[in-house]
Amino acid sequence: MWRRMVERLPAQLLVACVAGEVVGFVAFGASRDKGEPTDRAEIFAIYVNVACWSMGAGCLLWLQAHQRIMAEGYKSVSLWVLADNERAVRFYERAGFVVDPQSRKSFELGGAMVEELRYVRCVG
């Protein structure tokens, strides 16, 4: 699923490797949200293999993406996260993201309704 998403979006993709094996990735590019500023980037996905959680891979992926986003001149960056994903929410909040309270939306995933929230932060 992630491969298909990255292939169809004009995005950058960075990977994290341990002992030559890919253990995570981050995909990012210009914001896809309608009505948002043109100088806003978006993190489309950050994924780290569960076996590698709490080893710093996610943080390194975010920091590398952040550097590239800054270098491209974006002023802010957003991302969408499932509202119930407490671990991801904590990660993003520690990285300086703040929830956009007007952004809550629901959609069907695997036959269940889930809620998603947009988080935003300044790049600088």
Side-chain angles (χ1 to χ4, degrees):
M1 176 186 82
W2 295 118
R3 179 177 288 158
R4 285 189 311 271
M5 180 189 78
V6 170
E7 287 172 350
R8 73 172 190 257
L9 292 173
Q12 293 190 52
L13 178 70
L14 304 174
V15 297
C17 296
V18 173
E21 296 290 322
V22 174
V23 299
F25 69 88
V26 59
F28 57 97
S31 176
R32 300 169 294 174
D33 294 333
K34 292 181 181 168
E36 294 304 312
T38 57
D39 62 356
R40 175 170 289 165
E42 181 180 352
I43 299 292
F44 304 133
I46 295 181
Y47 173 81
V48 175
N49 185 311
V50 175
C52 297
W53 283 3
S54 300
M55 295 174 63
C59 185
L60 289 174
L61 286 166
W62 157 243
L63 291 173
Q64 288 298 309
H66 182 247
Q67 285 182 354
R68 291 192 184 198
I69 287 167
M70 281 193 317
E72 290 182 17
Y74 288 104
K75 303 295 183 210
S76 63
V77 59
S78 65
L79 56 87
W80 288 89
V81 63
L82 295 177
D84 292 339
N85 188 341
E86 295 175 12
R87 183 180 182 90
V89 166
R90 282 192 311 272
F91 176 85
Y92 297 131
E93 288 177 348
R94 281 194 312 268
F97 285 85
V98 177
V99 68
D100 173 356
Q102 317 309 341
S103 67
R104 185 176 296 267
K105 64 181 178 181
S106 299
F107 65 97
E108 187 176 333
L109 180 65
M113 291 303 292
V114 294
E115 289 191 325
E116 197 174 37
L117 295 168
R118 179 176 47 218
Y119 278 73
V120 180
R121 70 160 279 170
C122 291
V123 170

